[in-house]
Amino acid sequence: MFWRRLWRGTGAAIAIAGVCANAADAAALSTPAMSGSLVANPSPTQFDAGPLGDIYVTGAVSGVALWQDNRAAGDHQTRIDLDNGQVFIQKTDGWFQFYVEAGAYSLPSLGTAYLKAGDAPAATYGIVPQAYVKLVPSDDVSIEIGKLPTLIGNEYNFTFENMNVERGLLWNQTPSVSRGVQVNYSSGPFSAAVSWNDGYYSNRFNWFSGSLAYAIDGSNSVSAIGGSNFGRTAYSGSATPLAQNNGSVYNLIYSHTSGPWTISPYIQYATVPADAALGTAHSASTISGALLASYGFNDNWKLGARAEYISASGSAASGAPNLLYGQGSKAWSLTLTPTYQRGIFFARAEASYVGVADAVAGSALGAFGLDKSQARVLFETGVLF
């Protein structure tokens, strides 16, 4: 079944009107990564930790109210929840650095049941969803070890990091957090990374991921990203879909930033091979595309938008795995997210719509998997301290 029924890019410049960040502050705010609509606190709390040097503490606290039609079985038509209650602790200079993210969170995404913050950590990545040490032997090279945000995809893991509150249909197909080792390299306009990890949080270390990015100029960049399981993983769980975790996924991402605009179209291809030992008698794949965009009207108001289309191959009769809303199904989505932010306070409204075609009965939307659409309206507000 479509694995993320229970529940990740591009970056934007950090600026809040009336507040100027010095170089050390800007470096402290590079993680968690954020794109498009919200910007981090440019004056984080700073502590002198003696031999460790300066430690920065920031965080996100927010709540969400949601209405939806054609809800999934066990979900609610309306809901109020704490969608972020997290603290970020990091050291950002010297040869030894680290990042720890801890707290409660939900992971709302289109076309899937809402998993409340009280249940999401236990079902997915724990109360410390990301934590790693970073070794920096030179200006061009760094090595990260621990629970890492995935290289794959064009949306980040948590609501406050993205242009839209909910993540999209393409995000639903990708890993979000992987345990492993990642080596990063940059030289001029080129940057690259390679990672050995456990893919979709399987705790089986047979995935390799990589990315290559080129900054064409100050406004335009292109990235090629991919990851694949080079073994076989029989384990599955809430955060680990059996089919996708035994497959491969690839992205080609373009990003443009100019004045008030941030625009990022991308395409994604994922494939799962036939493997009789895992119950997949036939291969299957998804091909998809999306356009993410954000426009800033002024220092306080922005509008984020997303349009997506995804198509799955295969048939149930041939024994292909279900990667979407049944073998051979298709889906599309539209999302609009007006955002207001002043200082550390923010508020966002969102309207989204998902349409489904060629679904297998019982695998689509709604309580019985028979509905072909889902509309949602939500409101999120909080602080980025």
Side-chain angles (χ1 to χ4, degrees):
M1 65 182 288
F2 184 31
W3 75 275
R4 232 184 268 263
R5 291 291 170 88
L6 293 175
W7 61 97
R8 143 209 142 207
T10 57
I14 296 171
I16 294 181
V19 183
C20 295
N22 60 33
D25 289 343
L29 295 176
S30 62
T31 306
M34 298 175 67
S35 65
S37 293
L38 295 174
V39 293
N41 178 8
S43 301
T45 302
Q46 176 182 338
F47 297 96
D48 183 349
L52 285 178
D54 292 332
I55 304 296
Y56 295 94
V57 178
T58 57
V61 178
S62 62
V64 64
L66 177 148
W67 172 90
Q68 62 184 338
D69 66 359
N70 297 332
R71 58 183 175 85
D75 203 358
H76 299 277
Q77 186 174 31
T78 60
R79 184 183 293 275
I80 297 176
D81 192 29
L82 172 78
D83 60 342
N84 289 289
Q86 300 191 72
V87 174
F88 320 125
I89 305 170
Q90 56 192 305
K91 180 180 185 295
T92 63
D93 60 355
W95 71 269
F96 176 80
Q97 303 175 20
F98 65 83
Y99 175 77
V100 177
E101 182 171 309
Y105 53 87
S106 65
L107 301 172
S109 64
L110 297 182
T112 70
Y114 184 92
L115 185 65
K116 63 183 181 180
D119 296 331
T124 56
Y125 313 112
I127 61 171
V128 183
Q130 296 179 14
Y132 55 87
V133 297
K134 183 177 181 180
L135 309 178
V136 188
S138 72
D139 292 340
D140 298 332
V141 176
S142 63
I143 304 166
E144 299 172 351
I145 307 169
K147 297 174 69 170
L148 306 170
T150 184
L151 291 171
I152 298 168
N154 201 21
E155 292 186 280
Y156 298 116
N157 207 36
F158 302 102
T159 64
F160 63 89
E161 296 181 282
N162 296 294
M163 296 180 187
N164 308 106
V165 179
E166 301 168 279
R167 268 70 80 216
L169 299 174
L170 276 65
W171 182 87
N172 287 338
Q173 298 290 327
T174 64
S176 298
V177 177
S178 301
R179 289 166 284 206
V181 179
Q182 180 174 312
V183 180
N184 308 299
Y185 173 79
S186 63
S187 178
F190 291 95
S191 60
V194 62
S195 174
W196 170 55
N197 58 72
D198 68 346
Y200 294 74
Y201 208 69
S202 68
N203 206 27
R204 279 73 173 168
F205 294 87
N206 48 17
W207 264 73
F208 287 90
S209 307
S211 69
L212 180 63
Y214 177 71
I216 302 168
D217 53 36
S219 298
N220 301 281
S221 65
V222 62
S223 302
I225 305 168
S228 183
N229 189 328
F230 284 84
R232 174 186 290 145
T233 305
Y235 168 80
S236 65
S238 298
T240 310
L242 182 64
Q244 282 92 336
N245 192 52
N246 281 279
S248 305
V249 58
Y250 307 96
N251 301 117
L252 184 61
I253 302 172
Y254 170 75
S255 180
H256 172 79
T257 58
S258 179
W261 284 102
T262 299
I263 303 172
S264 185
Y266 73 110
I267 57 176
Q268 180 169 290
Y269 175 74
T271 181
V272 176
D275 190 333
L278 297 176
T280 53
H282 197 279
S283 63
S285 63
T286 59
I287 181 71
S288 50
L291 174 64
L292 308 178
S294 175
Y295 181 81
F297 295 95
N298 52 43
D299 291 335
N300 302 119
W301 287 97
K302 293 181 181 178
L303 178 65
R306 177 182 55 217
E308 303 176 287
Y309 177 81
I310 180 170
S311 175
S313 71
S315 68
S318 69
N322 178 8
L323 302 180
L324 193 60
Y325 295 106
Q327 297 85 340
S329 61
K330 304 171 182 64
W332 60 276
S333 77
L334 292 173
T335 308
L336 287 176
T337 311
T339 297
Y340 174 80
Q341 183 173 10
R342 183 170 181 176
I344 66 172
F345 169 81
F346 71 90
R348 301 198 283 181
E350 183 163 287
S352 65
Y353 183 87
V354 175
V356 176
D358 300 328
V360 173
S363 297
L365 299 164
F368 300 102
L370 300 174
D371 294 305
K372 300 299 178 64
S373 67
Q374 185 175 73
R376 281 180 177 169
V377 178
L378 60 81
F379 177 76
E380 181 188 44
T381 186
V383 295
L384 300 172
F385 61 85

